[in-house]
Amino acid sequence: MPELGVNIDHVATVREARRTVEPDPVWAAALAELGGADCITLHLREDRRHIQDRDLRLLRQTVTAKLNLELACESDVLSIACEVKPHQVTLVPEKREEVTTEGGLDVAGQTDRIAAATRQLNDAGIDVSLFLDPEERQLAAAAALGVAAVELHTGQYALANGGERELELAKLTAAGEQIRAAGMTLHAGHGLTYHNVLPVARIADMRELNIGHSIVARAVMVGMQNAVREMKRLVELV
Ligand code: PXP
């Protein structure tokens, strides 16, 4: 059974829409742990559009599950990671204009840069996972670097329908086999929802699934009625 990593970035996205103090991703992480999260995942983006440095530092102190920090391969955020020491860093590509992470890391094209970042993180006692498309060439480059884990990008699978989805699932399954054969741990994430998660969770030796948007979206829906009821009760006190 894979572990569930809950990505809390979009709790911070709602907070940053007003640049206020609520909703607090630190509080959301505590609730996610109560709900059974095995891992709390957050992405400290260079533009700090959602998670702030303060969130990372507080989460390091409060999360009792595994803490997985997603980062671009850039020196300023790598230094913060080495200081705060999450259990795991997942290296991702990052473009300022993107809505969310688009595509996997090009480890085959930037081996030296990613090898240096991996060494820096490993020396600080942090496990490294690379977020990669299910492509043989990229997985072979990751294996050559000796990273602990690969998180397979499930975005294409999530976008596909019918026969195409089956093809994307077959690519993920083959990639999983290659990752296992190279002695790396298999993770997956991006675009996973309550509707599409099971076939990915069933891939042999799947160890960690990172899911954000769908869980935060559902949290808004299942929490709305209570939230309104509480406000209504307050207003009725007048
Ligand atoms: N894994 C990685 C590496 C990501 O960058 C993201 C998005 O931040 C996720 C998983 C979660 O994706 P989603 O929000 O679509 O569930």
Side-chain angles (χ1 to χ4, degrees), residues 148-217:
V150 169
E151 178 174 333
L152 285 176
H153 188 322
T154 50
Q156 287 306 114
Y157 160 82
L159 287 175
N161 287 307
E164 273 197 18
R165 175 167 288 189
E166 289 308 311
L167 281 178
E168 292 298 333
L169 183 62
K171 280 190 209 166
L172 293 169
T173 304
E177 187 62 47
Q178 190 181 344
I179 290 165
R180 267 196 319 282
M184 299 181 290
T185 303
L186 175 60
H187 303 167
H190 211 285
L192 295 177
T193 68
Y194 296 82
H195 299 289
N196 67 20
V197 68
L198 271 185
V200 175
R202 288 189 183 120
I203 293 174
D205 279 323
M206 181 60 70
R207 292 282 179 250
E208 182 181 302
L209 296 173
N210 283 301
I211 307 179
H213 186 86
S214 191
I215 290 177
V216 175

Side-chain angles (χ1 to χ4, degrees), residues 38-196:
D38 304 294
C39 172
I40 298 296
T41 293
L42 65 160
H43 185 169
L44 188 68
R45 294 186 70 101
E46 284 181 89
D47 61 10
R48 306 295 198 271
R49 74 168 72 143
H50 39 54
I51 293 293
Q52 307 296 310
D53 298 44
R54 164 265 185 206
D55 303 329
L56 170 63
R57 290 177 198 283
L58 283 177
L59 286 164
R60 184 66 187 91
Q61 293 169 40
T62 55
V63 167
T64 58
K66 175 174 162 183
L67 192 67
N68 173 38
L69 177 63
E70 296 175 0
L71 286 184
C73 211
E74 299 293 341
S75 61
D76 55 339
V77 281
L78 285 169
S79 302
I80 294 172
C82 289
E83 187 201 323
V84 176
K85 297 190 196 305
H87 302 100
Q88 174 177 285
V89 161
T90 301
L91 292 174
V92 299
E94 195 176 296
K95 294 190 215 100
R96 251 161 220 276
E97 59 287 2
E98 70 191 359
V99 176
T100 179
T101 315
E102 291 167 0
L105 198 61
D106 180 17
V107 56
Q110 313 172 57
T111 308
D112 291 348
R113 189 152 170 254
I114 295 167
T118 300
R119 259 195 312 276
Q120 186 184 348
L121 292 162
N122 285 163
D123 287 349
I126 303 166
D127 284 340
V128 173
S129 174
L130 302 183
F131 183 54
L132 300 179
D133 290 319
E135 287 174 14
E136 212 175 319
R137 187 173 78 99
Q138 298 293 350
L139 302 177
L145 284 188
V147 291
V150 169
E151 178 174 333
L152 285 176
H153 188 322
T154 50
Q156 287 306 114
Y157 160 82
L159 287 175
N161 287 307
E164 273 197 18
R165 175 167 288 189
E166 289 308 311
L167 281 178
E168 292 298 333
L169 183 62
K171 280 190 209 166
L172 293 169
T173 304
E177 187 62 47
Q178 190 181 344
I179 290 165
R180 267 196 319 282
M184 299 181 290
T185 303
L186 175 60
H187 303 167
H190 211 285
L192 295 177
T193 68
Y194 296 82
H195 299 289
N196 67 20

